């Protein structure tokens, strides 16, 4: 089996992201930013998929939060699809998402968020906009940004794999897959709750 270059993957993610963003008629700067965010979140979901049930549970929580904001039922359908897979992936995995599954979940959520939530924001400050994307990106975004920063500070490529992601740290401390997933899911829910409150305030 041949593994794709991380740069090729990122290029494909950006191409897929552009297919979502271009029909939305954002201004050029917003369009570029949106493409990078969707592609980044797509990759972030792939990077967080290092433990049974983790990526899927984060996606389900994010889907529910987006539905609360008024997104159409499509996001609930995809969340229900993920819930059906979760039963086979957690706590003991009988099936796995793989790169294709985890990136698909990230892409679906990021695309739904971009199409259903952002167009409703009429006037928003730059820092509020960035904070909103971080909060709804949740743990996958925070963990990915932390990993990239850590690797570059140590003189390594940001795409260099390691065992220092949040779930690696927590599993070494707790020794429990279930407890680790529960802790990270709780943090995700708190970030999403903050994102919902911010969205409703600036909408």
């Amino acid at each position: 089996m041949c593994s794709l270059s991380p740069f090729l993957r990122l290029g494909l993610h950006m191409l897929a992201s552009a297919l979502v963003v271009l029909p939305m008629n954002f201004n050029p700067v917003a369009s570029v930013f949106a493409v990078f965010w969707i592609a980044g979140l797509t990759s972030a979901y792939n990077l967080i998929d290092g433990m049974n049930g983790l990526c899927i549970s984060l996606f389900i929580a994010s889907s529910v939060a987006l539905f609360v904001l008024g997104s159409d039922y499509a996001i609930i359908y995809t969340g229900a699809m993920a819930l059906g897979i979760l039963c086979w992936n957690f706590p003991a995995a009988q099936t796995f998402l793989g790169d294709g599954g985890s990136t698909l979940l990230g892409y679906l959520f990021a695309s739904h968020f971009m199409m259903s939530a952002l167009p409703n924001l009429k006037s928003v400050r730059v820092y509020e906009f960035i904070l909103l994307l971080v909060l709804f990106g949740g743990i996958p975004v925070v963990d990915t940004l932390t990993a990239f920063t850590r690797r570059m500070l140590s003189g390594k490529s940001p795409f260099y794999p390691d065992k220092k992601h949040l779930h690696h740290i927590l599993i070494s401390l707790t020794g429990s897959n279930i407890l680790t997933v529960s802790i990270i899911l709780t943090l995700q829910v708190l970030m999403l709750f903050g994102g919902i409150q911010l969205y409703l305030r600036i909408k």
Side-chain angles (χ1 to χ4, degrees), residues 1 12-13 27 53 55 69-70 80 87 104 106 127 143 156 164 169 172 185 195:
M1 182 179 295
L12 293 174
H13 293 168
N27 65 60
C55 180
L69 294 186
C87 301
L104 176 63
Y127 77 89
D143 184 64
K156 299 177 181 178
K164 297 180 181 179
I169 296 172
S172 66
L185 180 58

Side-chain angles (χ1 to χ4, degrees), residues 14-142:
M14 292 183 66
L15 176 61
S17 302
L19 296 177
V20 174
V21 173
L22 291 179
M24 299 183 69
N25 296 317
F26 289 154
N27 65 60
V29 175
S31 295
V32 171
F33 195 89
V35 167
F36 273 96
W37 187 75
I38 294 177
L41 192 56
T42 300
S43 298
Y45 266 75
N46 179 232
L47 293 175
I48 202 70
D49 185 33
M51 180 172 292
N52 294 345
L54 181 55
C55 180
I56 301 176
S57 61
L58 297 182
F59 173 78
I60 293 171
S62 298
S63 299
V64 172
L66 188 51
F67 184 70
V68 169
L69 294 186
S71 179
D72 57 39
Y73 281 95
I75 193 63
I76 286 298
Y77 297 151
T78 54
M81 170 195 70
L83 184 61
I85 300 172
L86 181 64
C87 301
W88 298 91
N89 182 252
F90 181 81
Q94 300 178 56
T95 187
F96 297 92
L97 286 177
D99 289 345
S102 58
T103 54
L104 176 63
L105 293 184
Y107 180 73
L108 286 174
F109 173 72
S111 299
H112 276 296
F113 182 80
M114 195 62 62
M115 292 186 293
S116 63
L118 289 192
N120 295 325
L121 298 177
K122 298 178 176 61
S123 178
V124 57
R125 297 179 178 88
V126 173
Y127 77 89
E128 291 175 328
F129 182 67
I130 294 174
L131 181 58
L132 192 68
L133 294 182
V134 171
L135 289 172
F136 275 96
I139 294 301
V141 165
V142 173

Side-chain angles (χ1 to χ4, degrees), residues 117-197:
L118 289 192
N120 295 325
L121 298 177
K122 298 178 176 61
S123 178
V124 57
R125 297 179 178 88
V126 173
Y127 77 89
E128 291 175 328
F129 182 67
I130 294 174
L131 181 58
L132 192 68
L133 294 182
V134 171
L135 289 172
F136 275 96
I139 294 301
V141 165
V142 173
D143 184 64
T144 298
L145 291 176
T146 301
F148 279 19
T149 301
R150 180 183 66 248
R151 292 165 186 171
M152 288 188 292
L153 289 176
S154 63
K156 299 177 181 178
S157 165
F159 300 104
Y160 182 82
D162 58 33
K163 297 289 186 180
K164 297 180 181 179
H165 288 278
L166 178 59
H167 52 276
H168 293 134
I169 296 172
L170 287 177
I171 192 66
S172 66
L173 292 174
T174 65
S176 169
N177 187 330
I178 296 176
L179 183 55
T180 296
V181 172
S182 298
I183 292 172
I184 297 177
L185 180 58
T186 299
L187 295 174
Q188 176 83 349
V189 169
L190 291 175
M191 292 187 70
L192 291 169
F193 179 77
I196 291 172
Q197 298 304 309

